[in-house]
Amino acid sequence: MGGSMRALLTEDEESLGAASILTQMVSLVIALIIGVYLRYKGWQTLHSAGAALLLGVIVGLVTRLVNRVEAFREWIDFSDNFFFLFLIPPIIFESGYNMQPTPFFANFGAICCFAFLGTAISAFVTGSMVYGLGAIGACYKLQPLNAFIFGSLISATDPVTVLAIFSEMGADKNLYSLVFGESVLNDAVAIVMYQTMLSFYSRPIDMHGIAYAISYFLMIFVGSWAIGTVTALASAALLKFTNLGKSEEHAAPCIVVLFPYIAYMAAEALRLSGIVSILFCGIVMAHYTKKNLSQKVNDSTTAVFQILAHLAETFIFIYMGVATFLEEQAWQHVSLTMFSILAVLIARLFNVYPLSFLVNLFRRREKRIPKTHQFVLWFSGLRGAIAFALALKSTQDLVEEEGRAILTSTLFIVLFTVLAIGGSTGAMVEKLQLRGYEQPKEEDFDEERLEMTPMDAAEETPEGGSLRGRLQELSRNSTFERLDKNYLRPFFTSEAVEPDPSHDDGPGNGEQASSAGMDPQPLFAQDGPAERTSSRVV
């Protein structure tokens, strides 16, 4: 009798699980159809991300009102473990793997400035304002450390709606690259900052503690970067020296799909940042691994990553909407929510405008970030999945009541920024006359970097030209580009790379570089001649 009862309970649990998954799948199909319809009609006030979020809110409300079975609600509710292990990896990897590297790296100095320094400024300003307002009794008071933890997690931006509208309307290519690049690195920085702030619970906040926190941040970031880079290079070497990327149309895509997850899970297993790891794994694989794939394999893997990322992204917004009514919320602390929205907007001001001024000091006059672009950078600081997932995690890491207050505030900030700010982006682009440019393409960018060193400002003086020329020559002969062209690409890719004529380390150097770039004797032979040209140059 006991055994049959346990079997019956198991069957009930499986049935509830299947019903909840069915509900999620149907919601996902409906959200995708609505997104297509909105794009077809050209609606800009409600985009696909906002529609998926609202659909999730409706599903969550109906589930709360109609279905009283706790097990069903647990299945359908937001799970931070499921989010970080299964939903976020394809989105982050796809952003690195399929991004256009030329515009990204052309603005790399500005992107890093906004992503690293800007995120720190946003976290500090938000945390200070939230704590200060709570201290004077204007809203619910958070403990000082918890206020800065909240500032760290809410600094993670997710401008998916803004970027989609930029693409459809043809916004300026440099503006697109800045918004996209900041969001790609910003998520990773915010997560590492969150982990770093939590470390202060186990040590005092003094000079030694701050030094430890900085070293801890660097250890996580550099360690995660190293894992992602090494994993990507390993995938490139495997596909080159076995020739699988050219000869195996079934095994090669599977290998390419698995390596990013290896990087992500390795970093998570070592308690580093899987997001940092898989992001740089995608960037490095795009630069090396893609060149070892046939055109058919390249196209299939690119399509797979785009499909997985789009499905995960849509599902996440539904997921967040569902959690609005299924997660326990701290409705009594609505004052904290209202002031948090204000703090986030003000913190974004202290982030964008001072750093834009700083970046412009190091740029040529024609390459500086104009005021209209600075306003869009401030305006496009939407919050999304990363901030919400960290807020949900904070309910376990912090005091229960403060964690719930942070979760409720974060959820309403996500709703406000995605629906209100995201919905008004189209009108803002029209108002600022930023429409009419072609969608960003690599050939639109000069090979020459946008960033300058302070000494490059001397170009406007008569003697500055020769100095700048010498600096550019020094840059060409001593930077990563030379190492990449003469050593890394010949070793890790099967494309022919002409040796750098300025690189002369002795007799026969050119022949060595050329021979290193030739296809190796394949481990797995194929019928017919092997392909020697790269399928896609990034």
Side-chain angles (χ1 to χ4, degrees):
M1 181 69 178
S4 61
M5 180 61 73
R6 284 193 295 271
L8 181 61
L9 289 173
T10 301
E11 290 178 3
D12 287 343
E13 291 174 354
E14 290 179 356
S15 176
L16 289 171
S20 67
I21 293 174
L22 175 63
T23 303
Q24 293 167 335
M25 295 300 103
V26 171
S27 301
L28 186 57
V29 171
I30 294 173
L32 291 171
I33 293 173
I34 292 174
V36 172
Y37 177 79
L38 293 174
R39 286 194 296 273
Y40 175 76
K41 288 295 184 180
W43 286 18
Q44 295 175 358
T45 54
L46 181 64
H47 210 266
S48 56
L53 190 61
L54 289 176
L55 177 63
V57 171
I58 295 172
V59 171
L61 177 60
V62 172
T63 302
R64 187 178 184 90
L65 294 176
V66 175
N67 198 317
R68 299 292 181 178
V69 181
E70 187 65 27
F72 179 85
R73 291 165 61 173
E74 289 179 358
W75 268 96
I76 203 173
D77 196 9
F78 193 99
S79 167
D80 56 327
N81 288 329
F82 180 68
F83 171 82
F84 279 113
L85 294 178
F86 295 102
L87 292 180
I88 201 64
I91 297 175
I92 300 298
F93 177 78
E94 193 273 339
S95 66
Y97 189 74
N98 289 328
M99 79 172 184
Q100 297 161 0
T102 303
F104 178 83
F105 287 106
N107 289 283
F108 192 66
I111 288 171
C112 286
C113 187
F114 288 120
F116 287 90
L117 187 56
T119 303
I121 291 173
S122 293
F124 177 77
V125 174
T126 303
S128 300
M129 288 189 64
V130 167
Y131 174 71
L133 290 168
I136 64 175
C139 63
Y140 176 68
K141 182 180 178 180
L142 296 175
Q143 297 179 31
L145 181 57
N146 291 347
F148 286 102
I149 289 175
F150 175 52
S152 299
L153 68 88
I154 204 62
S155 297
T157 61
D158 186 10
V160 57
T161 303
V162 173
L163 291 174
I165 293 174
F166 281 0
S167 295
E168 292 174 6
M169 300 185 69
D172 179 74
K173 54 186 178 294
N174 287 308
L175 175 60
Y176 184 99
S177 299
L178 285 173
V179 174
F180 169 78
E182 182 203 3
S183 68
V184 167
L185 291 179
N186 163 271
D187 288 345
V189 174
I191 290 175
V192 177
M193 281 184 59
Y194 176 86
Q195 294 173 310
T196 303
M197 296 302 296
L198 281 179
S199 69
F200 280 116
Y201 270 108
S202 59
R203 59 180 57 250
I205 304 179
D206 53 20
M207 292 304 297
H208 292 289
I210 294 174
Y212 171 82
I214 294 174
S215 62
Y216 181 73
F217 178 92
L218 294 175
M219 180 194 71
I220 292 178
F221 208 93
V222 174
S224 304
W225 165 81
I227 290 175
T229 301
V230 170
T231 304
L233 292 177
S235 72
L238 174 67
L239 291 173
K240 176 187 175 181
F241 291 105
T242 61
N243 208 40
L244 287 173
K246 306 288 187 179
S247 60
E248 290 290 333
E249 295 181 354
H250 300 292
C254 296
I255 292 173
V256 174
V257 170
L258 288 173
F259 264 91
Y261 278 92
I262 291 174
Y264 187 90
M265 297 305 172
E268 289 293 320
L270 294 174
R271 298 187 177 182
L272 300 174
S273 173
I275 287 183
V276 175
S277 180
I278 201 170
L279 169 63
F280 283 98
C281 182
I283 294 173
V284 177
M285 284 183 68
H287 190 60
Y288 297 107
T289 307
K290 270 188 177 183
K291 295 178 175 65
N292 298 326
L293 304 176
S294 67
Q295 186 65 50
K296 186 173 183 179
V297 172
N298 199 352
D299 292 342
S300 64
T301 53
T302 299
V304 166
F305 289 131
Q306 289 175 339
I307 292 170
L308 289 176
H310 186 56
L311 285 173
E313 202 168 68
T314 305
F315 191 71
I316 284 172
F317 279 98
I318 298 174
Y319 222 19
M320 288 191 293
V322 168
T324 305
F325 288 101
L326 296 189
E327 279 292 327
E328 181 184 347
Q329 304 292 344
W331 304 112
Q332 68 274 23
H333 301 315
V334 67
S335 59
L336 175 64
T337 300
M338 297 298 105
F339 282 111
S340 294
I341 294 175
L342 178 64
V344 164
L345 294 175
I346 293 176
R348 186 75 180 168
L349 282 174
F350 280 94
N351 170 355
V352 171
Y353 284 97
L355 293 185
S356 296
F357 175 79
L358 179 64
V359 169
N360 285 341
L361 291 178
F362 292 83
R363 284 189 167 193
R364 298 184 187 86
R365 185 174 290 103
E366 67 273 13
K367 299 296 185 180
R368 290 172 184 168
I369 305 173
K371 293 294 183 182
T372 53
H373 289 192
Q374 294 177 33
F375 177 80
V376 175
L377 282 170
W378 169 76
F379 191 84
S380 61
L382 280 66
R383 268 55 177 183
I386 297 294
F388 182 78
L390 290 176
L392 191 62
K393 190 173 182 296
S394 73
T395 61
Q396 304 169 13
D397 296 332
L398 309 180
V399 178
E400 175 70 16
E401 185 177 6
E402 295 198 10
R404 290 293 167 186
I406 288 174
L407 174 63
T408 302
S409 299
T410 302
L411 178 60
F412 273 88
I413 291 172
V414 171
L415 289 168
F416 171 77
T417 56
V418 171
L419 296 176
I421 296 180
S424 58
T425 299
M428 180 265 300
V429 171
E430 294 279 8
K431 182 72 174 178
L432 298 178
Q433 299 180 351
L434 298 175
R435 185 172 184 166
Y437 297 89
E438 295 182 359
Q439 191 171 351
K441 298 177 182 178
E442 289 192 46
E443 56 266 27
D444 294 332
F445 290 80
D446 297 331
E447 290 296 323
E448 190 176 352
R449 294 173 58 86
L450 296 179
E451 273 67 45
M452 301 171 60
T453 64
M455 284 184 291
D456 287 329
E459 65 175 343
E460 297 182 2
T461 64
E463 61 276 4
S466 60
L467 174 60
R468 184 170 177 272
R470 288 196 298 271
L471 289 173
Q472 288 182 341
E473 183 67 23
L474 178 63
S475 176
R476 283 193 295 267
N477 292 330
S478 61
T479 59
F480 171 78
E481 184 178 352
R482 180 186 176 188
L483 175 67
D484 178 53
K485 186 172 184 179
N486 288 292
Y487 297 104
L488 296 180
R489 269 193 288 164
F491 182 81
F492 286 105
T493 71
S494 55
E495 72 168 357
V497 181
E498 292 186 8
D500 189 348
S502 65
H503 181 62
D504 185 13
D505 291 335
N509 176 69
E511 291 81 353
Q512 291 174 5
S514 297
S515 63
M518 295 176 62
D519 286 341
Q521 184 67 30
L523 181 61
F524 301 104
Q526 62 176 5
D527 296 331
E531 298 180 42
R532 288 182 180 270
T533 58
S534 69
S535 59
R536 188 172 182 177
V537 178
V538 180

